[in-house]
Amino acid sequence: MSEVEKALQTFHSLKVKQVMPPLASMPIVTKDSPVVDVLKLLRTRHHVWVVNNRDDMKLEGVIRYINIVDVLLPPELQKARLGNISHLFKSILGGADRAEHVMERNVLTINEDASVLEALTKMKRYKVPLLAIIDENGKLVGEISLRILVNEFMRLMRIGGAQWSQSGSSSQSE
């Protein structure tokens, strides 16, 4: 077995709680936080987690950078579709003033004891680069992203001394 294969095998067997960043470094607001606070965080982040309160940390939703378009547009420029008018009410001009008004409620989660392989499989299945990590009580304890996973795999490669050699590269020297 090659060094790269060994690194991948080790990587896949890690628990997501072993590679997740500290909770203090995550962008988190409570559901009653002003939308302005969310926007401040989104200036430097791609998402913000929404919890019920700082004590319980029960995951309520997520606000993604891309969804802020709905918040900034006036309601009359939103296209209402039959059965889906919720995005009309996400506009600041439509009355959205707290995080709970603009968050996505259906958040993809994974248990803190799940493996990296399980996280990667879920990301692929649902075509998402980010999962909330929760404990058995639905408490937000971390996050795992494709970027975090790539960084961890590269760290394992350096520690193990594995060299990545890509055959068939267009930059081969002869």
Side-chain angles (χ1 to χ4, degrees):
M1 183 182 296
S2 75
E3 291 294 319
V4 173
E5 290 170 328
K6 287 179 190 173
L8 258 177
Q9 193 173 49
T10 301
F11 176 65
H12 288 157
S13 66
L14 291 172
K15 301 291 183 198
V16 292
K17 67 183 172 187
Q18 293 176 277
V19 297
M20 67 184 187
L23 196 61
S25 70
M26 291 173 44
I28 300 171
V29 297
T30 59
K31 64 183 182 178
D32 59 348
S33 295
V35 168
V36 172
D37 290 353
V38 172
L39 293 174
K40 287 176 186 176
L41 284 169
L42 288 173
R43 288 187 303 183
T44 60
R45 303 301 294 254
H46 291 97
H47 65 280
V48 175
W49 300 110
V50 182
V51 296
N52 64 336
N53 61 58
R54 294 279 180 178
D55 295 325
D56 297 338
M57 294 295 285
K58 181 181 175 290
L59 182 62
E60 297 283 337
V62 65
I63 303 167
R64 297 176 197 282
Y65 185 75
I66 191 71
N67 299 124
I68 293 305
V69 171
D70 291 335
V71 174
L72 299 175
L73 277 175
E76 63 269 13
L77 292 181
Q78 306 273 356
K79 290 187 179 184
R81 289 179 282 155
L82 190 60
N84 187 12
I85 62 167
S86 64
H87 61 281
L88 293 175
F89 303 111
K90 290 186 176 190
S91 169
I92 291 173
L93 293 175
D97 63 351
R98 294 190 316 267
E100 67 183 325
H101 296 150
V102 299
M103 70 184 185
E104 294 174 35
R105 295 182 191 286
N106 297 322
V107 181
L108 283 173
T109 62
I110 195 158
N111 187 277
E112 62 185 335
D113 290 318
S115 69
V116 164
L117 183 58
E118 290 172 286
L120 286 166
T121 302
K122 194 166 204 174
M123 288 175 178
K124 176 148 176 76
R125 181 181 312 126
Y126 295 102
K127 297 180 172 118
V128 296
L130 178 71
L131 300 170
I133 301 174
I134 58 171
D135 68 10
E136 62 280 348
N137 299 316
K139 177 181 174 180
L140 180 66
V141 295
E143 67 184 6
I144 195 75
S145 69
L146 198 50
R147 177 170 291 148
I148 292 166
L149 292 173
V150 167
N151 286 339
E152 180 62 19
F153 179 66
M154 296 308 292
R155 187 187 72 76
L156 282 172
M157 294 274 291
R158 282 192 304 272
I159 289 173
Q163 296 275 324
W164 185 278
S165 61
Q166 188 175 13
S167 60
S169 171
S170 60
S171 61
Q172 292 177 356
S173 58
E174 298 186 54

